[in-house]
Amino acid sequence: MIKSKIRKYHAAVWDEPLVMDLSQPGRRGAFAPAIEDEITDSVGDPSALVPTALKRKVAPELPELSEFEVQRHYLHLSQQTLGMMGISLFGTCTMKYNPRLNERLVYQPFVAKMHPHQDPETMQGILEIVYSFDEILRDLSGLDKFVFQAGGGADAAYTMATLTRAYHAARGELAQRTEIITTVQAHPCNPATAAAAGFKVITLPLEKDGYPSLEALKSVLSNRTAALMVNNPDDIGIYNPQIKEWVKAVKEVGGLCFYDHANFNGVMTRIRAADLGFDACMYMLHKTFGGTKGGGGPAVGAFGCRKELVPYLAGPTVEKNSDGTYFLKEEGPKSVGRVREFFGNVPVVIRAYSWTRAMGIDGLRDAANISVLANNYMEKRLLAIKGVTKGLPELTKRRLEMTRYSLGELTAETGVTTVDVQNRMTDYGVDAFWLSHEPWFIPEPFTPEAGELWSIEDIDYWIDVLEVVCEEARKDPEFVKNAPYNQVVHKQGSTNLDDPKNWATTYRAYKRKHASKK
Amino acid sequence: MSAKDKTLPQPHPFMANSAPASYRELLRVAEVKEIDEVFEQIPTDHLFKGKWKVPRGIKSEAQLSKHLTSILRKNISAEDYTSFLGAGCWNHYVPAICDEMVTRTEFSTPVWGTPSSDHGRNQVWFEFCSQLGELVGMEFVGLPLYSYGTAAGHALRMAARINGRKKILIPASLDPERAKVIRTYAGFKELNGFLDVVTVKFDKKTGRLDLADLKAKLDKEVCAVYFENPNYLGALESEAAEISKLAHSVGAEVVVGVDPISLGIIAPASQYGADIIVGTTQPLGVHMNAGGGVGGFIATRDEERYAKEYPTLQVSLTGTTVPGEMAFGLTLFHQSSYGSRENGKDWTGNSVYLWAVANATYMSLMGPEGFVDVGNSIIARARYAAERINKLKGVKVLWRDGFFKEFVVNFDKTGKSVKKINKKLLKHEIFGGKDLSDEFPELGESALYCVTEVHTLEEIDALVDALKEVTA
Amino acid sequence: MKHRPIRIGFIINPIAGMGGAVGLHGTDAGIHLEAARRGASQISTQRAAMTLSFLFNSREWLQASSETLFITPEGQMGGDLLQSMIDPTQIQLIPLKNDSTTAADTKEIAQSLFEHGVDLILFAGGDGTARDIFEVIDEKIPLLGIPAGVKMRSGVFGLHPARVGEVLQRIIVTSSRIENALPTQDAEILDLDENSSDYSSSQFFGVAKTPYAPDLLQRSKSASGDSGASALDELALHYAKAMKPKRLYIFGPGGSTNRILKSLGLSLSPKGVHAIMDGHCIGEDIGEAEIAELVARNSECELIVGVIGGQGYLFGRGNQQLSSGVIEAIGWSHIYVLASAEKLLELMPTELHMDFHQPLRNPPPSFLQVHTSSSRTVVCRLIYQVASPSTSTLARN
């Protein structure tokens, strides 16, 4: 039953051309500082300073535009981006409010114009915040040290894979310990980074309880086991209650245990990685901790571990002197080295620190409660929509902060798929929802996550739009299949972009391949 | 439920449903009496029952702002002092419009979207790739990677998948930090996909790659030769074409790292034999952010054998169902780790896509003439600084010719350490060059100085005066 | 270069799907007479019309229709429907001798389409129809099925008639521009074993070609891609290289195991069991007795088997030669199972089944690792129920 008044919505349409096509010869958008006469007198013609063999002969075909034209072009493109301007319940990514205060702060020189190799005495403010946030995460996880070098959750998983290598190599066991175990419901970055780090990957599928059995895990544990990489709860909303036994079993054969805490929002202030026995864990500061997402970073996968593993951490770490000042400590000989340059996306750490201080321990508790409660609220309303079913419906315990649903019945009835529905919902100002990570064992999946940000009215509106679209699908499937209509542009055409004859990641390639169309 | 219920949330500005009435409505519809019911899946012995150290929330923005500002004010930035630090994170001018775009809520807060819902941002990404492709002279460009070093690491792994060889040659002059990242990506010999990293000496007289040593180390087992232009020590590899030729003669791939801000005046690596070009994106309109502004890219010719090894996501220009309308869709998604989990090409995830917005804006503002302009401004200022510094007593610029924005200053004859000199420079409100004495002991007491378009004549002269004083 | 129009062969099995509507299990083996008596309408024609209208109303059709030709039998097996929808110049009719619509007719038409040199055979029907066409066509021409039967477990079927329309849109646009062959992927042909009374079990009949559109074929996926297949090719090369001299290798049927044989340079039917030693085939398409004898004669032996899709059968479906006796003689630790990760993880639950005429003497392991590439495995629970005739009843459906 529809509760909201469905608004009239249409995306901004500027029909904005490619910036390259706006170019007019001779226009200038920016000048570098003019070279002072004294410098010219001293060094002569700058172009003579480039070795002859390396002089650029053909200018790049970049656009020539005035400053205002560039500004207006990118403003138009920003307006042609729906993102969080409407409602976005993008599951697994935990859409949060990104306080403007943080933007105001991190673009000031005291953050933006800092260099990572400055004398530590000149960067005490940054080091203090990084260290203080490390302390906050230690408290929330029970672990002993966090680093922020990883540029996202996947990079933190890679940090774990490399730490696993370093740990077993230091003990002379790496040649034997070549297997990393994960589950089918772990985010793809876990098996992918384990494989990229050179490990064999063993995947445990779900069984009747909605998670792999302890027995299945035990069947593959051996002295070849290097590590376990899992998340819990998973993004179907199911919590593995045997996780302590899992960790114990892996440790008994000498493996390390990594907790991918991508889905931390619902269990904040209830579960601590260390209490469950894990050796290491990862939090996404750009998701759970209120940092900006930027359409895909800059992000931070905060990686924490027990003190026994600290010597293996990627360096440098931020440490505190006895006099209360802070310094950067280079990694020791056992360290994995670096997974990325420098000590992290500092502005994201500052945003996360700020958000967490604004929330406080009481706010984190409330946020977790509201997230899980709102998901249960959604479930009641979503399952009342014809064509929507719950993933693994036989598991009746209440799901945590998200649930995976299926539009399989709607598809069977109308041929309209979850991707079609996703496209059509954007016609109502609702950003594209999350489907599912690979593999899709729940047919036509979608995974909303209400979190603590969205109001009950926003959640209702989202659900109402879905219901309206399901009705449309039954009335006129072709109409829904060809959506969107109120967006900046229409549905992407059916050209196969995996065909080398078609793909064009640059305009130059496009013009070469599709000259006849222009 | 009574209003005194301890589990009832307190209203908070970031949470609409923390209002008691909204929260109660959630409880009612969800048919929940006690909030613990929704956590029924979690065994009670998993729950934390201790005391937290994290304090209670600061709900007032004014109060929070004061708290944060009071800490961050302890920093001294490149705006306060004159900084000559570079070494992987460079102080270039960031146009105001670049900052405007990356702070637009539409660009800074979203997560993903579809080709039609987030059309504008996808178009920016395509413009980023297209313009970068123009600068580096390549037609296939992926979306950005975490950093220069990670781009190099992935590119070398691409090379290994392409030709099936295992040995990679990297210059001994490489940034030790990037070298560490590359070694991480190269893996361990006990495991799959291991790459054997071998270093090639650099010529102490020129700072450039030692071609004799390169020849000695090249054989049919070499998978790829990696070098940078300019290299970490600042020198331009003027024999780049020869290096590529030698590498190609044994069937190795040529992977070149570049600084895109130099490419208005310096030839793109595609013209001197590069097969895969990588580099940094930070100089193109992104602040240093204490190292949190770094980003990287991979670009190649538009050939299947390269395209099908990219670990990144890519956007392609295509059409919609309406003739003449542009859309930007993903190409080769299935080979990413999102598409194929552990069977994908390495992995990808959140990267630094917001910086691509700044980069695209920067390249559009500069245009072809702006890149020539900024290139000339940088190379002239750097040369001027080097010439003046080299005249100081006991101070020597190691390679006075053929560098772009960075150069090595040796202080051996002053009898003073770089560490001491830099400490003293702080009193003159100057961040001296990066200390190389630990990284390159063979260069003695040396520092890597970086001079860019932001350094005025007066600031350079002030540096020379200060150096004169502190080395005396 | 000027290329000829794309030629699409089109067959409707007008009696497919009739069983489902009236509570029968498929229309194979003459059940359709009973269905017709109970008054089922021609579901398959309606479903085919849905696919075709999706195609003919598309922009792609406007662009490329002049370069597309349908070849189809006259009458209710295709001609009638097409003639009611598009211009006769775009249809080439195959005359029929009679108006019956038996499996033999389907096969005869398939043969005729092959002789007409079609680029693709589009058909509306179920697993039985797919199997009939496959028996004639094998992998010579890609098959694309409009789901219109009761059982559509074969990999050639689209998710929904409209999705098949989308596949066709792609094909006609692509083919009008690209000279090289239609990109294809492998698809298993599965159908009921008509000798079995267990209606939930499928038999494996071979590997067909189908157009490359994994996102639109059954078991929809978020992205197109063949990473699972390329991972299996990588596994095949790796496995072939690591094979030891003087050791007996027994290959079970299926497309996956056949990849290893292909990388050994052996061209053997994916339907049979083959014995390999030192890179040579020492037993082609062998039966249980020959396998048992070879295993008895060789102390070192490896068995390589795939997984039959749909229900995840390891033994007892399409590989009955691999009897319980053979399995136990080889030993579980010498059994190497391979399958694409996609195929395995879409099984829900991810379990492997076994069904032997003679029960195993010792309990099998609870879990087996299935190899999805040379360095990746998925752990699968083994389900083994001692066969008794009473478990295989209609009630299980």
Side-chain angles (χ1 to χ4, degrees):
Chain A
M1 194 193 65
I2 287 151
K3 283 177 73 179
S4 324
K5 179 184 173 291
I6 302 294
R7 299 185 195 184
K8 273 187 256 174
Y9 164 79
H10 201 296
V13 178
W14 290 105
D15 200 10
E16 190 67 20
L18 290 172
V19 73
M20 287 73 76
D21 282 343
L22 292 170
S23 182
Q24 293 297 333
R27 290 203 188 144
R28 292 290 300 270
F31 284 86
I35 302 166
E36 292 87 340
D37 293 343
E38 290 85 341
I39 294 177
T40 309
D41 291 347
S42 168
V43 304
D45 176 8
S47 63
L49 300 175
V50 178
T52 316
L54 290 180
K55 278 194 207 306
R56 180 152 196 149
K57 295 186 187 78
V58 183
E61 277 184 36
L62 294 171
E64 297 176 75
L65 293 166
S66 70
E67 187 173 335
F68 170 66
E69 289 171 305
V70 173
Q71 183 202 31
R72 187 177 54 189
H73 172 73
Y74 286 104
L75 285 176
H76 284 174
L77 294 185
S78 76
Q79 292 185 343
Q80 292 189 152
T81 302
L82 174 57
M84 278 183 83
M85 305 315 290
I87 301 168
S88 175
L89 307 188
F90 197 97
T92 76
C93 285
T94 319
M95 305 309 290
K96 297 244 167 179
Y97 176 58
N98 303 142
R100 271 323 279 194
L101 169 67
N102 297 343
E103 302 313 292
R104 188 202 277 173
L105 290 172
V106 301
Y107 284 94
Q108 288 188 42
F110 56 38
V111 178
K113 296 200 175 182
M114 297 294 290
H115 192 285
H117 290 318
Q118 276 177 223
D119 190 308
E121 78 178 50
T122 67
M123 43 199 312
Q124 285 299 305
I126 278 179
L127 297 180
E128 180 177 337
I129 286 189
V130 172
Y131 188 85
S132 303
F133 195 62
D134 170 16
E135 286 186 314
I136 286 174
L137 294 186
R138 283 187 236 166
D139 194 29
L140 294 177
S141 65
L143 294 169
D144 298 311
K145 185 72 194 169
F146 276 80
V147 289
F148 305 97
Q149 189 172 72
D155 211 14
Y158 185 61
T159 303
M160 181 61 199
T162 60
L163 183 140
T164 303
R165 279 192 320 213
Y167 174 81
H168 292 303
R171 301 154 73 92
E173 291 187 353
L174 187 60
Q176 162 203 329
R177 293 195 182 268
T178 56
E179 296 176 351
I180 284 186
I181 301 165
T182 184
T183 79
V184 66
Q185 266 296 83
H187 186 278
C189 73
N190 289 294
T193 54
F199 288 98
K200 293 180 184 164
V201 177
I202 298 175
T203 302
L204 303 171
L206 304 191
E207 294 185 57
K208 61 177 179 8
D209 296 322
Y211 48 86
S213 67
L214 183 59
E215 199 191 351
L217 172 70
K218 285 183 175 169
S219 83
V220 295
L221 289 175
S222 72
N223 59 9
R224 294 186 301 277
T225 303
L228 171 75
M229 296 172 79
V230 286
N231 56 356
N232 196 32
D234 66 11
D235 44 25
I236 306 180
I238 290 169
Y239 185 89
N240 176 354
Q242 294 182 315
I243 198 69
K244 276 189 177 179
E245 289 74 25
W246 277 47
V247 169
K248 195 163 159 264
V250 172
K251 287 183 156 181
E252 272 169 12
V253 299
L256 295 175
C257 294
F258 170 68
Y259 196 166
D260 173 353
H261 246 319
N263 303 334
F264 187 54
N265 216 50
V267 296
M268 291 190 292
T269 76
R270 279 189 169 76
I271 300 295
R272 303 203 317 168
D275 300 346
L276 301 179
F278 283 96
D279 299 299
C281 88
M282 179 278 288
Y283 297 117
M284 286 197 270
L285 305 193
H286 50 291
K287 294 183 177 173
T288 317
F289 290 92
T292 45
K293 295 188 175 65
V300 172
F303 182 89
C305 64
R306 288 181 189 283
K307 57 177 177 298
E308 298 79 21
L309 295 180
V310 169
Y312 303 97
L313 274 177
T317 54
V318 178
E319 308 290 349
K320 193 174 185 175
N321 287 308
S322 54
D323 65 358
T325 59
Y326 302 88
F327 66 105
L328 281 166
K329 187 180 163 197
E330 291 292 308
E331 65 273 25
K334 285 182 178 173
S335 159
V336 306
R338 303 279 156 100
V339 295
R340 186 185 187 224
E341 294 94 311
F342 309 120
F343 60 99
N345 285 326
V346 171
V348 183
V349 181
I350 294 171
R351 288 183 182 102
Y353 174 80
S354 165
W355 182 88
T356 310
R357 289 304 309 272
M359 295 296 281
I361 196 71
D362 46 333
L364 295 179
R365 183 83 173 183
D366 288 347
N369 288 349
I370 291 170
S371 301
V372 179
L373 180 59
N375 185 46
N376 280 275
Y377 173 91
M378 281 197 88
E379 179 175 316
K380 290 281 177 207
R381 287 212 56 210
L382 283 171
L383 293 181
I385 299 175
K386 192 182 166 205
V388 176
T389 56
K390 184 168 151 183
L392 311 185
E394 65 280 12
L395 303 173
T396 54
K397 281 193 178 172
R398 289 188 184 266
R399 301 286 162 93
L400 287 158
E401 87 282 26
M402 69 190 119
T403 304
R404 181 155 301 149
Y405 298 92
S406 170
L407 287 168
E409 285 185 6
L410 184 79
T411 307
E413 186 187 342
T414 64
V416 170
T417 65
T418 188
V419 174
D420 300 327
V421 171
Q422 179 194 44
N423 275 330
R424 178 59 183 154
M425 283 178 75
T426 68
D427 275 341
Y428 296 91
V430 169
D431 198 33
F433 56 52
W434 176 234
L435 307 160
S436 164
H437 289 298
E438 294 294 334
W440 282 18
F441 44 78
I442 290 171
E444 302 302 317
F446 70 101
T447 317
E449 180 182 355
E452 77 277 5
L453 165 65
W454 304 99
S455 70
I456 201 162
E457 300 79 29
D458 291 334
I459 296 168
D460 280 337
Y461 196 84
W462 196 98
I463 294 165
D464 290 339
V465 167
L466 177 66
E467 185 165 349
V468 167
V469 172
C470 288
E471 281 168 19
E472 289 175 343
R474 274 183 286 269
K475 222 183 295 163
D476 188 353
E478 289 306 296
F479 176 76
V480 177
K481 279 170 167 302
N482 289 310
Y485 306 94
N486 301 336
Q487 269 306 327
V488 185
V489 293
H490 293 80
K491 184 182 172 177
Q492 190 187 319
S494 54
T495 306
N496 177 9
L497 293 181
D498 291 341
D499 184 335
K501 294 190 179 65
N502 297 333
W503 73 48
T505 65
T506 61
Y507 197 33
R508 187 177 281 267
Y510 186 85
K511 285 187 286 191
R512 177 170 57 76
K513 293 180 187 185
H514 304 273
S516 62
K517 285 190 206 158
K518 287 306 291 181
Chain B
M1 180 165 69
S2 78
K4 281 184 192 160
D5 187 332
K6 271 200 294 194
T7 67
L8 193 69
Q10 295 298 305
H12 191 285
F14 303 170
M15 300 187 279
N17 293 336
S18 59
S22 305
Y23 188 78
R24 287 201 180 96
E25 178 64 4
L26 293 178
L27 288 170
R28 187 187 65 79
V29 175
E31 296 172 38
V32 175
K33 283 197 190 65
E34 300 282 341
I35 190 66
D36 286 345
E37 290 167 29
V38 297
F39 296 94
E40 65 176 329
Q41 287 190 76
I42 306 175
T44 46
D45 71 327
H46 289 200
L47 299 173
F48 177 71
K49 292 175 189 90
K51 263 186 100 83
W52 297 104
K53 292 183 194 131
V54 176
R56 293 179 65 82
I58 306 171
K59 290 183 187 174
S60 154
E61 182 178 315
Q63 204 179 344
L64 183 64
S65 174
K66 189 148 227 168
H67 168 68
L68 290 163
T69 310
S70 71
I71 300 175
L72 289 169
R73 271 226 197 92
K74 296 174 192 167
N75 292 330
I76 298 169
S77 76
E79 187 103 330
D80 304 314
Y81 288 8
T82 310
S83 171
F84 294 94
L85 285 165
C89 182
W90 298 280
N91 190 13
H92 290 286
Y93 183 71
V94 175
I97 292 175
C98 292
D99 277 352
E100 182 186 15
M101 295 309 153
V102 293
T103 56
R104 292 283 296 185
T105 295
E106 296 93 325
F107 286 145
S108 72
T109 64
V111 60
W112 191 239
T114 63
S116 48
S117 72
D118 285 15
H119 174 82
R121 192 202 46 209
N122 287 15
Q123 179 166 339
V124 181
W125 290 348
F126 180 75
E127 292 179 359
F128 160 79
C129 293
S130 295
Q131 296 184 81
L132 194 63
E134 285 299 322
L135 278 177
V136 302
M138 288 291 197
E139 284 193 0
F140 197 98
V141 183
L143 288 174
L145 296 100
Y146 300 128
S147 68
Y148 195 167
T150 59
H154 279 299
L156 292 165
R157 292 173 61 85
M158 282 170 71
R161 291 195 295 269
I162 287 168
N163 63 20
R165 300 183 186 180
K166 301 270 171 220
K167 197 196 292 182
I168 54 175
L169 303 188
I170 66 171
S173 61
L174 184 59
D175 178 355
E177 182 135 23
R178 275 202 292 287
K180 280 182 189 172
V181 176
I182 290 172
R183 284 178 191 280
T184 299
Y185 275 64
F188 280 50
K189 64 178 183 308
E190 292 91 336
L191 299 177
N192 294 329
F194 166 66
L195 301 180
D196 190 10
V197 180
V198 176
T199 54
V200 179
K201 288 181 201 152
F202 66 93
D203 185 338
K204 302 287 183 305
K205 289 195 291 291
T206 62
R208 302 197 296 262
L209 199 69
D210 182 336
L211 262 60
D213 193 46
L214 173 68
K215 277 181 208 158
K217 283 168 179 161
L218 272 176
D219 57 36
K220 296 271 181 204
E221 284 171 16
V222 173
C223 158
V225 174
Y226 177 68
F227 68 96
E228 296 178 347
N229 213 357
N231 70 25
Y232 175 65
L233 300 176
L236 289 164
E237 298 285 0
S238 48
E239 293 153 309
E242 180 64 14
I243 298 171
S244 299
K245 216 169 117 191
L246 288 169
H248 284 153
S249 71
V250 297
E253 295 287 317
V254 174
V255 183
V256 182
V258 301
D259 179 355
I261 206 169
S262 72
L263 294 177
I265 59 171
I266 289 169
S270 49
Q271 277 175 26
Y272 50 78
D275 299 304
I276 306 178
I277 301 177
V278 300
T280 169
T281 59
Q282 183 262 325
L284 305 178
V286 181
H287 294 286
M288 296 182 288
N289 292 319
V294 298
F297 69 87
I298 299 178
T300 60
R301 294 184 293 278
D302 190 346
E303 291 171 11
E304 254 185 285
R305 69 191 215 112
Y306 294 104
K308 295 213 163 161
E309 296 303 336
Y310 271 70
T312 52
L313 299 179
Q314 292 80 226
V315 287
S316 171
L317 175 55
T318 184
T320 73
T321 52
V322 173
E325 203 172 60
M326 289 189 297
F328 303 92
L330 292 174
T331 169
L332 297 173
F333 173 82
H334 65 84
Q335 73 192 31
S336 75
S337 56
Y338 284 115
S340 299
R341 297 178 70 88
E342 66 272 27
N343 291 327
K345 308 294 179 186
D346 291 346
W347 83 95
T348 189
N350 270 283
S351 178
V352 294
Y353 293 173
L354 184 65
W355 298 148
V357 176
N359 302 149
T361 309
Y362 185 87
M363 289 185 279
S364 303
L365 278 169
M366 298 304 276
E369 286 305 312
F371 272 100
V372 174
D373 196 20
V374 76
N376 283 336
S377 190
I378 291 169
I379 202 167
R381 283 163 205 282
R383 177 66 75 101
Y384 173 78
E387 291 298 323
R388 284 216 57 196
I389 291 168
N390 191 54
K391 291 200 178 94
L392 292 171
K393 197 172 161 228
V395 182
K396 194 179 162 207
V397 171
L398 289 187
W399 309 295
R400 291 169 53 198
D401 216 10
F403 58 86
F404 176 57
K405 66 185 180 190
E406 288 172 294
F407 52 90
V408 177
V409 181
N410 178 277
F411 296 96
D412 282 353
K413 296 241 168 81
T414 67
K416 298 209 162 48
S417 71
V418 174
K419 205 171 170 190
K420 276 226 173 87
I421 291 166
N422 280 352
K423 272 280 180 210
K424 286 186 176 166
L425 283 175
L426 286 178
K427 305 235 158 55
H428 294 262
E429 305 198 340
I430 288 170
F431 297 137
K434 164 99 192 289
D435 190 348
L436 297 177
S437 60
D438 287 340
E439 297 176 351
F440 293 90
E442 66 271 39
L443 298 180
E445 285 298 329
S446 290
L448 182 66
Y449 272 75
C450 174
V451 176
T452 74
E453 77 279 14
V454 304
H455 296 100
T456 64
L457 173 74
E458 290 73 23
E459 285 171 336
I460 296 169
D461 287 346
L463 166 70
V464 175
D465 292 345
L467 276 176
K468 188 175 179 186
E469 197 184 313
V470 304
T471 57
Chain C
M1 103 186 198
K2 177 81 185 125
H3 42 272
R4 66 182 179 88
I6 179 167
R7 300 158 81 89
I8 301 175
F10 178 57
I11 309 175
I12 300 175
N13 174 6
I15 56 160
M18 291 167 72
V22 292
L24 293 170
H25 300 275
T27 48
D28 320 67
I31 306 175
H32 70 276
L33 294 174
E34 177 64 11
R37 192 181 63 75
R38 294 193 202 174
S41 58
Q42 291 198 352
I43 292 165
S44 53
T45 306
Q46 292 168 11
R47 299 223 127 200
M50 208 186 294
T51 296
L52 293 175
S53 74
F54 201 82
L55 173 65
F56 298 148
N57 290 322
S58 68
R59 189 169 57 93
E60 286 80 0
W61 178 254
L62 287 177
Q63 279 171 21
S65 61
S66 62
E67 296 189 64
T68 309
L69 179 68
F70 279 90
I71 304 177
T72 188
E74 59 184 9
Q76 57 172 335
M77 291 188 78
D80 289 351
L81 178 64
L82 274 173
Q83 283 172 313
S84 72
M85 297 182 86
I86 47 168
D87 194 273
T89 57
Q90 289 177 306
I91 308 168
Q92 184 180 334
L93 291 175
I94 302 172
L96 291 181
K97 282 176 246 144
N98 54 43
D99 62 353
S100 69
T101 59
T102 62
D105 295 307
T106 304
K107 289 178 195 174
E108 200 175 305
I109 294 161
Q111 179 62 33
S112 175
L113 291 174
F114 171 66
E115 284 158 12
H116 278 84
V118 298
D119 301 293
L120 168 78
I121 295 181
L122 172 72
F123 68 94
D127 280 330
T129 320
R131 178 181 151 199
D132 290 338
I133 298 172
F134 177 71
E135 276 182 23
V136 177
I137 300 299
D138 200 48
E139 55 176 36
K140 295 192 285 276
I141 303 169
L143 310 183
L144 177 61
I146 300 166
V150 178
K151 302 164 275 96
M152 277 95 36
R153 289 187 177 127
S154 301
V156 296
F157 287 102
L159 182 72
H160 186 275
R163 291 299 175 199
V164 179
E166 277 186 61
V167 177
L168 289 169
Q169 288 173 9
R170 281 189 203 168
I171 289 171
I172 62 169
V173 167
T174 311
S175 305
S176 63
R177 268 208 314 276
I178 297 175
E179 289 78 28
N180 49 2
L182 190 64
T184 61
Q185 60 192 45
D186 288 348
E188 287 177 347
I189 299 294
L190 305 169
D191 192 20
L192 277 190
D193 176 3
E194 54 264 47
N195 300 320
S196 163
S197 58
D198 179 357
Y199 280 92
S200 68
S201 68
S202 293
Q203 285 287 356
F204 168 67
F205 286 91
V207 181
K209 294 284 175 210
T210 193
Y212 174 72
D215 52 331
L216 299 175
L217 296 178
Q218 284 202 323
R219 294 285 189 175
S220 158
K221 292 180 56 64
S222 63
S224 58
D226 59 351
S227 61
S230 62
L232 281 184
D233 283 334
E234 179 267 348
L235 177 152
L237 280 175
H238 207 268
Y239 192 93
K241 246 189 246 170
M243 284 169 74
K244 300 210 170 75
K246 306 266 174 256
R247 183 172 291 194
L248 172 67
Y249 291 88
I250 300 200
F251 285 82
S256 307
T257 52
N258 209 251
R259 286 172 197 270
I260 302 179
L261 294 172
K262 277 185 190 149
S263 51
L264 287 168
L266 298 170
S267 176
L268 296 163
S269 162
K271 282 201 264 182
V273 173
H274 312 294
I276 309 297
M277 190 183 279
D278 295 325
H280 302 289
C281 179
I282 58 165
E284 186 174 349
D285 205 359
I286 47 181
E288 184 188 351
E290 290 160 282
I291 300 167
E293 195 199 320
L294 277 168
V295 171
R297 268 198 279 131
N298 289 275
S299 57
E300 296 200 36
C301 172
E302 300 273 333
L303 171 64
I304 302 97
V305 286
V307 174
I308 299 298
Q311 308 134 300
Y313 262 87
L314 189 61
F315 296 115
R317 292 288 179 273
N319 58 6
Q320 282 87 342
Q321 310 94 307
L322 301 168
S323 64
S324 53
V326 165
I327 304 301
E328 294 197 307
I330 293 170
W332 287 99
S333 61
H334 296 282
I335 296 177
Y336 186 94
V337 188
L338 72 161
S340 81
E342 282 89 343
K343 180 169 167 180
L344 276 180
L345 297 174
E346 283 162 5
L347 294 174
M348 193 67 201
T350 314
E351 294 172 344
L352 298 182
H353 297 261
M354 297 179 284
D355 178 7
F356 296 111
H357 292 307
Q358 292 293 320
L360 290 167
R361 266 173 295 169
N362 297 304
S366 305
F367 295 93
L368 263 191
Q369 291 190 46
V370 179
H371 299 258
T372 56
S373 86
S374 70
S375 58
R376 329 263 189 262
T377 65
V378 172
V379 184
C380 294
R381 191 183 277 274
L382 278 180
I383 304 295
Y384 174 60
Q385 283 163 325
V386 181
S388 78
S390 62
T391 59
S392 302
T393 64
L394 278 172
R396 270 180 60 178
N397 246 10

